[in-house]
Amino acid sequence: IGARRLLAMLMRPLVDIDLIRIRQNYIRLSMIHRQVLTEVRRLLTGIYDIERLVTRLVAGRARPTDIQWLARSVDAAVEIAQVLQTIKYPLEKELSDVVARLISETNGLADAFIDAVTDDSVRRIFAEGYDAQLDELVHAHSQVDARLKDFEANEIEKTGIPNLKVKFNRVFGYFIEVRKAHVARVPESYIRKQTIANGERYTYPALDQLETEIKTVEQSLGQREDTLFGVLGETLKQHAAVFQSLAHILAEIDVYFAQGALAIRNNYVCPTILPMSDRRLHIIDGRHPMVADSLSSTGEHYIPTSVYIAAPDKRIHIITGPNMAGKSTIMRMTGLVQLLAQVGFCVPAKAAEVSLVDRIFSRVGASDDVVGGRSTFMVEMTEASHIVHHAGPHSLFLIDELGRGTSTYDGVALASAIVQDLNARAQARGLFATHYHELTELGANVEGLQNAHVPVAVLNDGLVFSRQLEPGEAGRSYGIHVAKMAGIPAHITCMAEQLLKHYEKQGGDSKQAMAAPNVRVEIPHQLQAWLNVCLSFDVNQHTPLEGTQFLASMIQELRELTPLQEPPKVYEHNQ
């Protein structure tokens, strides 16, 4: 029930500040009173899925174990109410209301059935003392084994057969089993029922009489239990609404105390909630919860970052920076902080001030819709269309790349027009990540737009990412460096670097550069690329084993390259 309540809360964020602050107060209470938090969470493990148990009860499909689970849940709820009553705090009024509801609900239920059922679901359903007639039948049934043992002992003494056994199966009922070695000593009064490999099976009038008495007791016991169970079930049906109310209270307590435990464990904070009119989102040292958890599980450290979005001057951030720098993670973190804050939960940050929003829009990631006949670019534009049609002054949007599936100038034009529309007409707040550095001119010159970037440094031909969002624009995209990290062969990345230098000389007009007849780019021979890889290997940064493995791989590559001795090739751009 707690898990379902948590999902319902996440799917329905709040826009009422008072309700959000009430949820925050419950979570703060659980964080302040650590001992109460631990005890309540322990008791919550004894709560069964009351909602589904009640559904079976109302439908007439409840089993004895369902009634017992309901009883245990109510019993645990009573203990939870008692533990919560020990909290003394300025917010006691809110908590005392919850405790009062718990007590009022459980008192009526306790009178109805807690004392009726037993925890021993194997041997009996109802507790001793609940029904005198049932107790007599239970006592009689408990004597069955003793009576059978007495009968067996008497027959052994009477016949002198030492290994005579009284047994039972569903086909023959109760019978006497004698091994072959002692069949000759069987009395004439025994009636043979079956021959088995090791002996014979018999019946006996006295045993038949005993079996009849046992079956009568069992039948009466089952009928009495069925009668009492039916009466109890009808009584509990009248309390179905109370059960559902109790389930709702316990589910909310479960969610709040789980959030408190999560906040303590992962250093989350309750954000300051501001009205929509403030139009501000300030996250200090925010973390993406799932990425941070994943890194901590492997012993790595998550680098937190701060985000400040405010109308009107810093309404939209145009974020540039290289691939792998963490732009998408920062955007997702921002959206999750806004969502969790409006659910009323703590957020993964050092501190946060969050204004309410009416909608959160996101256009993150690339995917197509093959069945629907929509390309990746069409899906991208459809999502962008939804945002520009519905975003308003109190909306938050997160757009990660726009216009990638068409030509460069088409993409730049579309991205520029959309971000300017969101800024000027919709006046929405958000983050707009792009590799189109042309858009940074908007961030520098248009009111409401602000440039931001994720810094990166080049070290030993590799990249060092800061993972933090800072003001200003990125100098370049470092796509070739990322390609090297992905394992693109050195001769390809060398060619790409020379082409990049040439394109930059042509002012970024790659079409004109490709068409220039006199531009020649020398591509190093494969052997030269092999040498470049060897020379880039820093022995001081690797273990002896890694050095040996690298040497072996280079020798293998050299063997593959040796038959390909040929002069270096020169490619024209139009080739």
Side-chain angles (χ1 to χ4, degrees), residues 32-306:
I32 292 170
H33 300 275
R34 302 287 182 91
Q35 188 173 355
V36 171
L37 170 64
T38 302
E39 183 63 13
V40 168
R41 297 202 74 204
R42 183 189 68 80
L43 291 170
L44 283 168
T45 60
I47 303 293
Y48 291 82
D49 195 336
I50 299 176
E51 291 174 340
R52 292 184 178 175
L53 293 176
V54 172
T55 299
R56 288 203 287 266
L57 181 67
V58 172
R61 295 185 288 106
R63 301 162 298 182
T65 51
D66 295 334
I67 302 297
Q68 289 163 346
W69 290 344
L70 278 173
R72 293 177 197 174
S73 298
V74 173
D75 197 36
V78 172
E79 292 188 62
I80 290 172
Q82 293 170 350
V83 172
L84 290 176
Q85 281 182 308
T86 64
I87 295 180
K88 302 298 181 184
Y89 194 67
L91 297 173
E92 185 184 357
K93 171 78 171 63
E94 295 170 359
L95 186 66
S96 64
D97 290 344
V98 174
V99 175
R101 288 171 62 198
L102 267 177
I103 293 174
S104 66
E105 304 292 16
T106 54
N107 277 345
L109 294 176
D111 294 340
F113 81 112
I114 284 185
D115 295 333
V117 296
T118 176
D119 285 339
D120 190 355
S121 60
V122 176
R123 287 188 291 182
R124 62 183 298 177
I125 302 171
F126 294 94
E128 186 176 355
Y130 178 71
D131 181 78
Q133 182 181 347
L134 180 65
D135 288 345
E136 291 179 6
L137 292 170
V138 169
H139 177 73
H141 189 263
S142 66
Q143 301 300 312
V144 167
D145 289 341
R147 294 181 66 184
L148 288 172
K149 287 186 179 299
D150 289 344
F151 180 85
E152 183 181 88
N154 289 335
E155 291 302 310
I156 290 174
E157 182 178 357
K158 184 173 66 176
T159 62
I161 302 174
N163 56 2
L164 181 148
K165 298 291 182 182
V166 176
K167 294 184 177 182
F168 174 85
N169 65 32
R170 293 184 180 182
V171 177
F172 296 112
Y174 288 98
F175 56 84
I176 299 171
E177 185 174 292
V178 179
R179 290 184 177 271
K180 285 185 177 180
H182 301 284
V183 168
R185 303 168 68 178
V186 171
E188 294 182 359
S189 57
Y190 280 18
I191 302 171
R192 189 171 62 83
K193 299 186 72 173
Q194 185 184 23
T195 299
I196 59 175
N198 298 324
E200 300 285 345
R201 289 176 174 174
Y202 303 89
T203 186
Y204 185 57
L207 181 59
D208 292 341
Q209 177 63 30
L210 179 59
E211 180 176 5
T212 300
E213 294 175 5
I214 291 173
K215 287 182 177 180
T216 300
V217 171
E218 290 177 344
Q219 185 177 6
S220 299
L221 177 61
Q223 289 175 347
R224 188 58 182 169
E225 283 187 333
D226 288 345
T227 300
L228 293 174
F229 186 74
V231 172
L232 181 60
E234 290 299 320
T235 303
L236 293 181
K237 279 184 184 181
Q238 301 172 11
H239 296 274
V242 179
F243 276 118
Q244 295 291 6
S245 176
L246 178 63
H248 181 79
I249 297 171
L250 292 171
E252 294 224 336
I253 291 174
D254 191 5
V255 171
Y256 297 143
F257 278 70
Q259 288 299 311
L262 177 69
I264 293 170
R265 184 173 68 249
N266 293 345
N267 294 318
Y268 288 8
V269 297
C270 280
T272 301
I273 303 298
L274 305 173
M276 280 190 184
S277 56
D278 278 31
R279 302 176 66 195
R280 176 156 46 106
L281 175 60
H282 191 190
I283 304 170
I284 301 174
D285 289 345
R287 310 182 301 278
H288 189 294
M290 287 156 291
V291 176
D293 279 354
S294 177
L295 289 176
S296 64
S297 65
T298 59
E300 299 181 68
H301 177 64
Y302 185 95
I303 301 174
T305 188
S306 299

